[in-house]
Amino acid sequence: DSKDMELNSGSIDCIWNGFTMNGREDDYTFSEPYVDNSQVIVVAEDSGIDKLTDLAGKTVDVQTDSSAEAALKEAPELTATFKELLTTADYNTAFMDLEMGSVDAIAMDVIVAGYQIEQRGESDKYVILDETLSSEEYGIGFKKGNEELRDKVQGALDEMAADGTMAEISEKWFGRDVTTIGK
């Protein structure tokens, strides 16, 4: 909550933690977007759910106050087809609900989905649908006008993208390359 105050006072030099650029473009000096963080649906591999329309009559779980919940609120034509839309405090609980069969799908950030699946070591149990609910870009936010620091950090990111380091880190943590720099 205090990120803007800390950035403007110099306590921190940048904001870099799944920081959504969309709608904030005029408030910060941003790096290039380094991840396209789509809102997606995760289902059990054997669910028979292959596309968003297959969610009709299904129970879908989403984390309270998440970007995925916001995306679903913007898609009433889709959510109206659900049997039920449930909210949960965290995605660990949502994955347990999915595993137990008390929900049919989870709506969540593709980055978090990849991380959760990879950390569980269960990439064969879950599928992330190809269709997305919405998309947002992550960037590194610097104090408005601080192009000097932004350019230094951007240069390092460009080098990491060019030599494959960025893709390697993404593969390790998310099970696939979700980065966008240099692509």
Side-chain angles (χ1 to χ4, degrees), residues 32-93:
E32 291 178 23
Y34 63 91
V35 167
D36 177 38
N37 185 41
S38 301
Q39 305 308 312
V40 297
I41 299 291
V42 176
V43 296
E45 190 277 327
D46 60 356
S47 69
I49 299 170
D50 299 314
K51 53 189 182 293
L52 295 178
T53 55
D54 293 339
L55 294 171
K58 305 293 186 194
T59 301
V60 179
D61 210 350
V62 67
Q63 183 173 299
T64 304
D65 295 327
S66 65
S67 294
E69 184 181 34
L72 288 172
K73 286 180 180 177
E74 296 293 319
E77 67 288 347
L78 174 64
T79 58
T81 70
F82 297 170
K83 175 182 178 184
E84 192 172 13
L85 176 61
L86 303 175
T87 57
T88 186
D90 61 78
Y91 285 122
N92 285 326
T93 303

Side-chain angles (χ1 to χ4, degrees), residues 6-163:
E6 290 187 41
L7 186 64
N8 290 322
S9 73
S11 295
I12 62 173
D13 296 309
C14 66
I15 303 169
W16 188 355
N17 180 19
F19 196 51
T20 303
M21 297 172 69
N22 308 78
R24 295 177 165 149
E25 296 87 351
D26 296 332
D27 300 330
Y28 303 91
T29 294
F30 274 106
S31 68
E32 291 178 23
Y34 63 91
V35 167
D36 177 38
N37 185 41
S38 301
Q39 305 308 312
V40 297
I41 299 291
V42 176
V43 296
E45 190 277 327
D46 60 356
S47 69
I49 299 170
D50 299 314
K51 53 189 182 293
L52 295 178
T53 55
D54 293 339
L55 294 171
K58 305 293 186 194
T59 301
V60 179
D61 210 350
V62 67
Q63 183 173 299
T64 304
D65 295 327
S66 65
S67 294
E69 184 181 34
L72 288 172
K73 286 180 180 177
E74 296 293 319
E77 67 288 347
L78 174 64
T79 58
T81 70
F82 297 170
K83 175 182 178 184
E84 192 172 13
L85 176 61
L86 303 175
T87 57
T88 186
D90 61 78
Y91 285 122
N92 285 326
T93 303
F95 269 92
M96 287 189 288
D97 291 345
L98 184 60
E99 188 172 355
M100 292 185 312
S102 56
V103 301
D104 301 295
I106 307 168
M108 62 193 312
D109 298 19
V110 70
I111 302 300
V112 177
Y115 177 79
Q116 285 278 347
I117 292 167
E118 191 67 21
Q119 294 307 302
R120 292 171 184 281
E122 300 175 329
S123 59
D124 59 331
K125 286 180 67 175
Y126 303 104
V127 173
I128 299 172
L129 299 187
D130 290 333
E131 284 181 272
T132 63
L133 299 169
S134 69
S135 182
E136 61 190 12
E137 296 176 311
Y138 282 176
I140 305 164
F142 301 88
K143 185 176 180 179
K144 190 75 172 165
N146 192 350
E147 284 87 7
E148 181 181 354
L149 181 57
R150 187 264 326 266
D151 292 348
K152 288 179 183 177
V153 172
Q154 187 63 53
L157 292 174
D158 292 342
E159 288 175 20
M160 291 173 67
D163 72 11

